[in-house]
Structures are given as C-alpha cells and as structure tokens.
Amino acid sequence: VAFASTDCQLITDENEAWAFVNRVNDESQEVYFKSIQASWNYNTNLTDHNSQLSVEAKLVEAAFEKEVAANASRFNWTAFQNETLKRIFKKASDIGSASLPEDRLTKLKVIESELERLYSSAQLCDDDSTCNNLDPGLTRILAESRDYDKLLWAWFGWRNVSGRKMRNLYKEFVNISNEAARANGYADTGEYWRSWYDMDNLREECQKLYEQLKPLYLNLHAYVKRKLIDKYGEDKFPSTGQIPAHLLGNMWAQSWGNLYSDLLQPFKNKPSVDVTEALKEQNYTAQKMFEVSEEFFTSLGLIPMPEEFWNHSMIVKPDDGRDVVCHASAWDFLNQKDFRIKQCTDITMSDLITTHHEMGHIQYYLQYKNLPVVFRRGANPGFHEAVGDVMSLSVSTPKHLKEIGLLEEVVDDEESDINFLLSQALKKIAFLPFGYLIDQWRWSVFNGETSPEDYNKKWWDLRCKYQGVSPPVQRTEDDFDPGAKYHIPGNTPYIRYFISEVTQFQFHQALCEAANQTGPLYKCDIYNSNDAGTKLGDMLSLGSSKPWAVAMEKVTGNTTMDAGAIIEYFQPLITWLEKQNEGMDIQWDEACPTDLPVYTLPTQSPEPETTDPTGTGNVVFPN
Ligand SMILES: CC(=O)N[C@@H](CC(=O)O)C(=O)NC[C@H](CC1(C(=O)N[C@@H](Cc2ccc(O)cc2)C(=O)O)CCCC1)C(=O)O
Ligand SMILES: [Zn+2]
C-alpha cells in the first residue's frame, strides 16, 4: 500500500508538538522583545539610525517566524485532536509579510518606516518662522477656530505637507503587501486582514450594522448641518447636501465633539458636560490623567499598571526637539514585563478619553500576558479597541465626572440628558460612517478595484456618500487625501474601530447588568463594581485563544455583533432629533459637488481671529 509520501514523514505525535510549541514560545519572546523595543526607540525618536535598527530587527523577527512556520509544517497539525494545539499551529503558520523574500521584505519595511516618518514629522509653516505639526498645533486650530478661511488653510495645508507626499510610496507599498498576502494563500491584503475575524461574512455583517445605524446618523448630520449653516452661511454649503469637511472640529471630520460647547449644545441653560476647562483649572497633568484612568480600572478589581509602565511610558510630547510619533499608542513588549503608552497628552476631555482607550489596551495585555505568545491578541481586533471605550462610557457620565470632582453640579432632567446624549453622539455616532469607509477604500485598493489613478476620487466618493462630508475645495489625483489620516501611512487596519463602536455598547449593557445598574443605559456607571470587573477580566484573559463569539458570549450571553445596545443607549436622542428635523430633507446626494473652487495655499495664513485660537501662542498669524 503506497502511503501518501508527505503524510508518513509528518509528525503526528502531539506531545512532541507541545514540546516544539513551548520551545518556540520561549524563543519568540526574546525575538519579539528586541523587535518591539527597536520599534519603540524609532517611534520615540524618528532618526535615520533608529529607522535602520528598527528595520533590521524586523528582518530578524521575520526570519524567525519563517523558520517557525517551516518547522511547524513538519507536523500533521491539521489532524491534531487537541483544539488549542491546533489553534497555536494555525496562528504560527500564518506569518504575513514574513513570507516575503528578504529583499522584498526589506523594501516593504523601509517604505513603512518612511511613510510613518513623513506623517509624524510633517509641518505646516505659514512663513519661515512659524511652523505647526499636526499635534498639537493643527489639531487645536481645527478644534477651536471658527474662522472659515483659517480652517481651510489648516485643512488644505495639512494635506499638502502629509498625504500629497506619500502617493508613490503608497502605491509601491500596496504591491509588495499584496505579494505577501498571495504568498500566504490570500487573494490580497484586504482578505488577509478580514481573516482575523474568523467570519466569511464580515463585509455583509458590517454593512447590515451600518444600515441599522444610518437613520440615527442622518438625523444627527441634519441637526449639525443646520447649526453650521447658521454659523457660516448657506452659501458655504454645496447644493448636493454634504457638509464641508473642514468645519466639523476635527481634521478628518470623524468626531464632532469640539463643536459642542459653542455651536451644538441643545440647552444652553444647563451645565456643560465638557470638562476640558475644569481639567485646566484644576491644573491636571498628563500623569494625573493617567492615574485617574488607572484608578477606574482598579476600582473594578482589574490589574494596576506595573512599575515598568510608569517608568518607561512617554506620556507627554518631548520638548528636546526630537521628532516622535505623537499619534497615541499602547505597546506590549511580549516579555510579560514591559507595557507602555506613548502619547503626546493634551489637557483636554478628549485626551482623558484617549487615555482610557490606551489603558484599555494595556489592561488586555496584562490580562493575557501568561498565554502562549500567539494568543496574546484580542479575541478579534475590534475587542481590543472596545475595552478602554467601555470604561469611558461610564467615566463620561455627568454622575461620574461629578464623583471625581470634574463637574460641579449634575442636573437630572430631560434637557440635561439630551445635552449629554448629544455630546456622546458627536463622538460615537458621528464616527460610524468614517469607521466604516476607511477600509472600504483600502480593501478596494488592495483588491485592485481602485487603481492609483482613482485613489483620491474613490476616497471622496466614499466620504461624500457615507459621511455626507465633501471637500471644501477642488481635489485632484495630485492629492492623496487618504495619506493625511494616520492609519493609512501607519498601515493600521480600521474596520476594528467600527466594530468596536457597536460591540462596546453590548459590553457596556452586559457589565451594567452585572453591576446591578437599573436605570437607563446612558446613565450607567460601573465604577467600583467587582462583579463587572470580574466578568470583563474573564473575557480579556482568553486573549485570542478562543473564537471571538465564545469570548463575547462570556460577557453578553450572545455570540453576534448587534446594534440593539447602541440604539437603546441613544433612544431618547433619536426621538428628540427626529422632532428637531420634522419635515426637513435629511438626505444628501451620493455624489460629491462638482462646482468646487480651486484653492492655492496663501503663504501667509488668513487673518487671526480676535482671540488666539490655540491659547498657547504657538500659532501666531502675522497681521
Ligand atoms: C503598537 C500599536 O500600534 N498598538 C495599538 C493597540 C494594539 O493594537 O494593541 C495602538 O495603540 N494603536 C493606536 C491607536 C490610537 C488611537 C486611534 O488611532 N484611534 C482611531 C479611531 C478611534 C476614534 C475614537 C475612539 O474613541 C477610539 C478610536 C483614530 O484616531 O482614528 C488614537 C486615539 C485613540 C486610539 C489605538 O489605540 O487604537
Ligand atoms: Zn485602540
């Protein structure tokens, strides 16, 4: 009887397989630690030298992963009985760009390093003396200025100095990234990224969730557009019905919370829920914000930040002239000891929320740090993004902000509830179409539907259609507006944030139940609830060792993503907005406006407003 030649050479002994797995696990901790440390050093000091060291360390990491995958293929692991052992082998065999030949991998890593540096060191200078990075200068202008022309200068200028410089590099990046995906048996990089969700219908599931939430978004968009027309005048708005992208308080119009206090608060006579002023009045520091965040986690019985975290994190932008990646991030050094956050913290409510978001990543790392390295990831990437935001849903309640001394008084009536729900919707609902469209664009680029000649057209088609946001001035294929958003040059997948916006409300609902919170969902604060903390911790400690449906079931009792919780949370606001918009057309054209003016960047930026918008003097517009 002729055996299938390969089978009889494959190792079938599962004990031998465990010995292999344990040895590799120990070795991998060393290799990953060195590579992550080199990447940390580059991100916190963007020099050629550090870039080279980081690329070299990534090549060593890739060679190691390639060797492990080759050795793993000597085992007949697909036929193993032990489910966990099989799952470990499956993950160890899926090695991404490490499967590329070294010269192609080197090119890929160098391009990624250059894209990251282009974005993080980009500066907009309005004359030879005054320059602004995105963080904090341009971010503050977009957040605080109410001058149409100054906003346009910052919006257009940022895209000139960032995305516009990346187009060719990105085109090359796409080709090499797809080579790697195909080497691993995927059609393209998009299919590889979607495989992390263990679902064959991820795109359909996301589309269904988006359709369910679209009515709420349309009502919010209509309300905000009316208020912006009051402020800037009807003539500034296209007849196609979109909102010009630079007027929404954020460089990408992805979060509209910065418009709340002066333009959007429904009931002015009720206390504000934006505690930025209180943070400044109370001389909050970044350190204090981090301690407040940690205290929320430990109040639930979750794990405190280790000594190394406090000693080695970078929580303020260095003032020694170094170029750093200011875009916030959390780091797991995979040595079961080093966990850090890198953040150029601004003393604002928005950054208090971001601090909780980053600390949510650290909590996940701490909870699964003793699992095999291949399991030290989220149950799916969306879960990793949800942890910190679930905490923020409790922290941002007026009741909690009062409890930690950031709000003087809490008025408990319907108008105050609407004020609060609208401020939440400006972050959570406004974000949905943006979170949905980024990877629609990227998937279409990876699978070839969108060619480089159409990069910018496809981007704005999606922005006009889903977000109801349009470019304030003409855009061409000399521009590369996707590159002006961190995650494109940073090569960080994005659908995870859309999934997180939906699932975090499912988790919030389940944890509120565990904490015996009986009132409406939007008033729930799980602070000090060990029961809620235990329920969450039991899920986090699974890492990616089980399919995400199993992890979700442990918290919510359900096994699917469901928009019911976010709709329940915002129900009172939905009713209120529908009344506000009664009888009005809340739709916009799918297509972008075509009659847009051509804009050239003035060397001198527009006249300053009466007050310095940044409040820091570092954005001085010469008279
Ligand atoms: C080494 C490494 O890369 N680590 C990963 C974590 C991991 O994978 O282990 C990581 O730190 N990624 C950085 C990224 C940063 C932020 C972000 O990019 N946010 C999105 C979308 C969004 C918007 C609103 C919101 O409430 C939550 C998210 C945006 O700003 O567009 C910026 C501020 C918030 C989160 C992050 O923390 O997710
Ligand atoms: Zn995150």
Side-chain angles (χ1 to χ4, degrees):
V1 175
F3 287 97
S5 62
T6 52
D7 281 2
C8 70
Q9 284 150 6
L10 291 184
I11 304 164
T12 56
D13 179 324
E14 297 193 21
N15 291 326
E16 196 174 331
W18 275 114
F20 166 73
V21 157
N22 294 333
R23 179 163 46 75
V24 163
N25 193 61
D26 294 343
E27 282 173 36
S28 68
Q29 290 206 130
E30 311 273 322
V31 172
Y32 286 129
F33 174 75
K34 288 197 180 85
S35 177
I36 294 161
Q37 184 164 57
S39 185
W40 170 271
N41 292 342
Y42 178 55
N43 274 257
T44 54
N45 190 4
L46 291 165
T47 61
D48 289 339
H49 178 62
N50 288 343
S51 171
Q52 215 170 324
L53 290 179
S54 167
V55 168
E56 279 161 18
K58 284 185 187 209
L59 294 180
V60 171
E61 174 190 330
F64 173 78
E65 289 179 331
K66 218 170 178 169
E67 189 204 346
V68 167
N71 289 335
S73 67
R74 290 175 35 238
F75 292 82
N76 194 12
W77 60 268
T78 52
F80 282 166
Q81 297 309 310
N82 183 299
E83 281 309 313
T84 298
L85 189 57
K86 228 157 90 169
R87 195 172 176 88
I88 291 174
F89 269 82
K90 183 170 182 299
K91 288 181 180 293
S93 307
D94 202 0
I95 57 175
S97 59
S99 58
L100 285 170
E102 183 163 289
D103 62 324
R104 298 299 281 161
L105 181 64
T106 305
K107 194 143 189 49
L108 181 70
K109 292 302 160 193
V110 167
I111 289 173
E112 286 177 7
S113 174
E114 279 317 297
L115 284 169
E116 182 96 71
R117 180 161 34 171
L118 273 171
Y119 184 90
S120 299
S121 51
Q123 292 198 319
L124 175 59
C125 304
D126 67 350
D127 55 27
D128 47 9
S129 67
T130 313
C131 294
N132 273 294
N133 284 91
L134 176 70
D135 279 308
L138 299 179
T139 300
R140 284 183 187 156
I141 294 175
L142 265 283
E144 295 161 10
S145 173
R146 300 294 180 253
D147 177 305
Y148 185 92
D149 293 326
K150 186 179 330 176
L151 288 166
L152 181 54
W153 169 79
W155 183 90
F156 186 93
W158 168 247
R159 280 154 183 77
N160 268 14
V161 299
S162 61
R164 205 178 166 95
K165 297 193 170 12
M166 298 175 193
R167 175 180 274 269
N168 292 332
L169 270 178
Y170 195 75
K171 197 165 77 174
E172 231 185 315
F173 161 77
V174 168
N175 293 335
I176 308 177
S177 181
N178 276 342
E179 259 176 61
R182 284 193 292 271
N184 293 319
Y186 296 100
D188 60 68
T189 302
E191 190 185 273
Y192 170 50
W193 288 2
R194 292 192 297 273
S195 73
W196 299 330
Y197 294 86
D198 289 330
M199 296 160 75
D200 52 14
N201 61 345
L202 174 71
R203 299 188 77 150
E204 293 74 17
E205 276 298 292
C206 289
Q207 168 144 35
K208 193 179 75 180
L209 292 169
Y210 180 71
E211 294 300 335
Q212 278 178 281
L213 295 163
K214 188 175 167 185
L216 173 45
Y217 181 73
L218 261 56
N219 275 301
L220 180 68
H221 180 278
Y223 173 82
V224 170
K225 187 169 82 169
R226 225 175 11 264
K227 297 285 183 181
L228 287 173
I229 288 175
D230 291 350
K231 170 73 188 172
Y232 293 106
E234 182 99 49
D235 61 314
K236 291 286 193 296
F237 290 72
S239 57
T240 44
Q242 288 94 356
I243 299 174
H246 66 310
L247 300 179
L248 285 149
N250 173 277
M251 186 58 90
W252 309 278
Q254 72 181 70
S255 172
W256 305 345
N258 291 317
L259 303 181
Y260 176 78
S261 302
D262 60 325
L263 295 178
L264 303 178
Q265 181 170 335
F267 301 100
K268 290 281 193 197
N269 57 334
K270 299 290 178 180
S272 166
V273 290
D274 184 320
V275 295
T276 300
E277 290 322 309
L279 289 167
K280 291 179 174 167
E281 276 154 22
Q282 296 181 32
N283 298 319
Y284 259 67
T285 59
Q287 180 69 24
K288 170 77 174 158
M289 284 162 71
F290 275 69
E291 285 164 4
V292 163
S293 178
E294 181 193 39
E295 198 277 330
F296 189 89
F297 284 87
T298 53
S299 84
L300 306 179
L302 293 171
I303 305 168
M305 297 298 122
E307 205 47 42
E308 291 81 359
F309 172 84
W310 297 110
N311 293 340
H312 302 299
S313 289
M314 181 199 100
I315 63 173
V316 291
K317 181 173 186 175
D319 56 9
D320 57 8
R322 256 184 295 161
D323 260 339
V324 301
V325 175
C326 260
H327 193 82
S329 57
W331 294 63
D332 181 353
F333 284 72
L334 292 173
N335 63 350
Q336 301 170 302
K337 254 169 46 39
D338 289 295
F339 307 90
R340 299 177 196 169
I341 287 175
K342 173 189 59 55
Q343 188 173 302
C344 303
T345 310
D346 225 353
I347 308 303
T348 61
M349 178 159 185
S350 163
D351 270 17
L352 181 64
I353 301 301
T354 296
T355 302
H356 285 79
H357 179 94
E358 297 312 328
M359 213 163 258
H361 287 306
I362 304 288
Q363 186 60 221
Y364 218 151
Y365 303 150
L366 293 170
Q367 290 283 346
Y368 59 49
K369 72 179 170 57
N370 299 322
L371 290 181
V373 172
V374 292
F375 287 156
R376 296 187 204 161
R377 288 309 297 152
N380 77 39
F383 279 42
H384 230 297
E385 299 310 332
V387 181
D389 282 9
V390 168
M391 305 293 120
S392 295
L393 286 174
S394 288
V395 169
S396 50
T397 58
K399 181 179 75 163
H400 188 85
L401 292 171
K402 180 169 190 288
E403 198 167 337
I404 59 173
L406 287 173
L407 265 189
E408 253 129 55
E409 57 158 334
V410 171
V411 175
D412 196 357
D413 63 18
E414 196 184 306
E415 292 185 351
S416 302
D417 289 355
I418 293 299
N419 275 355
F420 170 67
L421 282 172
L422 186 85
S423 76
Q424 289 293 90
L426 294 174
K427 292 165 213 163
K428 300 294 182 185
I429 303 301
F431 179 77
L432 291 170
F434 186 78
Y436 181 64
L437 72 85
I438 298 270
D439 280 350
Q440 302 294 334
W441 179 82
R442 238 182 328 201
W443 293 337
S444 80
V445 166
F446 285 133
N447 72 17
E449 268 169 48
T450 300
S451 63
E453 302 72 52
D454 298 329
Y455 276 170
N456 232 39
K457 177 180 181 325
K458 178 70 177 176
W459 175 259
W460 284 108
D461 287 352
L462 291 166
R463 293 261 276 169
C464 290
K465 173 182 178 181
Y466 286 112
Q467 232 183 327
V469 153
S470 56
V473 295
Q474 200 174 67
R475 310 305 290 158
T476 72
E477 290 304 333
D478 290 333
D479 298 307
F480 180 57
D481 293 332
K485 173 62 193 170
Y486 173 78
H487 297 69
I488 303 294
N491 193 36
T492 308
Y494 210 83
I495 200 69
R496 60 185 62 180
Y497 297 111
F498 176 77
I499 286 162
S500 162
E501 291 298 342
V502 174
T503 52
Q504 67 188 243
F505 286 89
Q506 292 176 256
F507 294 140
H508 183 53
Q509 189 176 52
L511 296 186
C512 291
E513 222 171 282
N516 294 321
Q517 293 277 310
T518 50
L521 187 56
Y522 65 88
K523 284 184 183 287
C524 160
D525 174 10
I526 63 172
Y527 193 42
N528 293 317
S529 166
N530 271 308
D531 292 341
T534 303
K535 186 174 267 268
L536 182 64
D538 286 352
M539 183 272 276
L540 299 179
S541 57
L542 291 175
S544 62
S545 64
K546 293 279 190 294
W548 68 262
V550 171
M552 176 178 273
E553 191 167 32
K554 276 186 86 85
V555 179
T556 69
N558 298 319
T559 58
T560 58
M561 298 188 282
D562 181 301
I566 187 171
I567 289 172
E568 178 192 324
Y569 180 97
F570 283 106
Q571 193 49 56
L573 182 71
I574 294 171
T575 308
W576 185 79
L577 283 172
E578 284 171 348
K579 206 175 288 114
Q580 296 297 310
N581 296 331
E582 211 152 25
M584 297 176 187
D585 175 15
I586 62 174
Q587 302 279 351
W588 56 84
D589 295 2
E590 256 196 35
C592 290
T594 50
D595 54 349
L596 290 168
V598 175
Y599 177 82
T600 46
L601 197 63
T603 47
Q604 300 301 323
S605 65
E607 285 312 296
E609 277 161 294
T610 46
T611 55
D612 171 352
T614 62
T616 59
N618 78 349
V619 177
V620 175
F621 295 102
N623 288 315

